[in-house]
Amino acid sequence: MRILSGIQPTGDKHLGNLIGALRHYATNQHLGEAFYFIADLHALTLLPDPTELRRATLSTSAMVLAAGVDPERATLFVQSHVAPEHAQMAWVLQCVANMGELNRMTQFKDKTEGKKDGGSVGLFTYPVLQAADIVLYDADHVPVGHDQKQHLELSRNLAQRFNNRYGADTLVVPKPLIAEVGGRVRDLQDPAKKMSTSTGSEKGTVWITDEPAAVLKKFRSAVTDTGNEVRYDPEAKPGIANLLELMHVATGTEISDLEAEFGSGGYGHFKTAAGEAMVAYLEPIRERYLELVGDEAELERILKQGAARAREVAGATLERAIAKTGLLLG
Ligand code: AMP
Ligand code: TRP
């Protein structure tokens, strides 16, 4: 079985990234051969500052490793190190995709809201590049957060359509792996919204690198709901439900046991306990991150090794797919 996922090098990473995606990278690397990459070609769609993009690519690599990905077991690479293969596959899939289905992508709509020029063409075709990333590695399973569900549906449709046109079983049709609990971590100040790098609130976003005191403060001031009972009810009590999910992930304690323990003890007591649990959970990850991010030579060594393996696999799939299309191979 093959597992693959990508994460964009966009500044610092938050609890949503860790709980919704990164922690599953580590557990899933034991299920089969895993490929994880830093999606810098995707990040380019918003034209980040070049120095910042370079820095964030290395720091995001360090974060993936800190979250438990073992570079001797899984392949960790930078997408642009395999740019020719990803770009070629994306082109073939762009010819399979249609405007109508891309027009329905909600993330594109969100990212271009209010933009007079409608956003870059790369931003529009971004989900097709994502499909190419996935099929190039014959990925069966793709661990992602809930916000990627629509992109994964598109990837499945494109792989199926390609196979219908050019031959069954040419491309593996991927399945998303989205956790029931923690697949959508909410902003601590606004539980109606997901925790997010771009649209989140400062006080409601917990960065993985936040100092323990800052984490605790953000949890203590989390917006909860009316009432005073600590009960898991995502509809009526989204703030409390979010904190219960986070505490469950941090401690491994079942949500029902947390309800029994904190049910009537008041929100304040519960928020402090949840914050302390998160500090303890984050501590080893944060320490390992700080160690790794300072060792650029080691990061570059790991990424180079990953790129070699990634190119090998992607190149073979690309050749297999292209041969079916009638394009003449070099
Ligand atoms: P990004 O940083 O946008 O590349 O996202 C990296 C991964 O984190 C993707 O799998 C997202 O689905 C996931 N993710 C981002 N925000 C959240 C959130 N608030 N809750 C759960 N998962 C998230
Ligand atoms: N679009 C994803 C995000 O923003 C990142 C990504 C790019 C990805 N290519 C991928 C995720 C392939 C899974 C598989 O989070």
Side-chain angles (χ1 to χ4, degrees), residues 4-8 37 39 42 126 130 133-134 142 144 148 151:
L4 169 134
S5 196
I7 182 163
Q8 294 193 64
F37 67 93
H42 280 94
Y126 167 124
Q130 181 161 350
D133 301 337
I134 296 170
V142 183
V144 282
Q148 294 302 313
H151 289 162

Side-chain angles (χ1 to χ4, degrees), residues 202-251:
E202 181 61 34
K203 276 174 66 192
T205 308
V206 177
W207 306 105
I208 304 172
T209 49
D210 270 349
E211 300 272 346
V215 175
L216 205 52
K217 192 167 168 205
K218 288 175 185 173
F219 269 76
R220 279 195 179 130
S221 56
V223 167
T224 45
D225 326 281
T226 51
N228 53 19
E229 193 194 355
V230 177
R231 180 164 51 82
Y232 188 69
D233 184 345
E235 289 289 316
K237 290 171 167 274
I240 290 292
N242 189 39
L243 292 176
L244 278 166
E245 290 195 16
L246 291 174
M247 193 169 182
H248 161 68
V249 171
T251 59

Side-chain angles (χ1 to χ4, degrees), residues 4-10 13 17 21 25 35 37-43 79 86 107 111 126-127 129-135 139 141-145 147-148 151-152 155 194:
L4 169 134
S5 196
I7 182 163
Q8 294 193 64
T10 40
K13 292 296 161 188
N17 300 128
Y25 290 11
F35 294 84
F37 67 93
I38 313 304
D40 57 348
L41 297 176
H42 280 94
Q79 190 183 24
H86 285 243
Q107 200 168 79
K111 286 189 178 171
Y126 167 124
L129 177 60
Q130 181 161 350
D133 301 337
I134 296 170
V135 298
H141 291 290
V142 183
V144 282
D147 61 0
Q148 294 302 313
H151 289 162
L152 262 293
S155 299
K194 66 170 185 176

Side-chain angles (χ1 to χ4, degrees), residues 38 64-65 81 135 200 263 265 315 323:
I38 313 304
V64 173
L65 294 167
H81 286 170
V135 298

